[in-house]
Amino acid sequence: MKPHAMSKYFGNGGHVLRQHNSAELQFSWRGKSDGSARYVERVNRYARNGVEYPSLAALLRAVEAEHVRN
């Protein structure tokens, strides 16, 4: 993972933030905290709530889908 911070808006109200040199991603949805995910470097995947995702895009789609259902 690159050593710089990431801040990205996605979907219809989502935001993900990663601090410098951290494998943890913090999510918010419409301004409210929405948990976190972790980048697992040894397998090159993202993990959230016990589920692994092959890419950041797949993880963001899954988070957005959680909110579409609710």
Side-chain angles (χ1 to χ4, degrees):
M1 187 173 254
K2 294 179 182 172
H4 63 278
M6 174 184 68
S7 177
K8 179 177 179 80
Y9 289 93
F10 65 97
N12 196 14
H15 181 254
V16 61
L17 176 69
R18 182 179 62 82
Q19 298 295 331
H20 288 278
N21 299 318
S22 175
E24 188 168 347
L25 291 86
Q26 295 292 320
F27 289 89
S28 63
W29 191 263
R30 296 192 177 150
K32 295 182 180 176
S33 179
D34 190 40
S36 63
R38 185 167 268 306
Y39 177 71
V40 185
E41 189 170 357
R42 63 180 164 71
V43 293
N44 196 29
R45 291 182 172 269
Y46 293 86
R48 176 177 161 99
N49 299 332
V51 179
E52 288 188 353
Y53 299 91
S55 67
L56 179 59
L59 172 60
L60 297 180
R61 284 192 301 268
V63 171
E64 184 177 12
E66 289 174 13
H67 292 281
V68 169
R69 288 189 297 251
N70 294 332

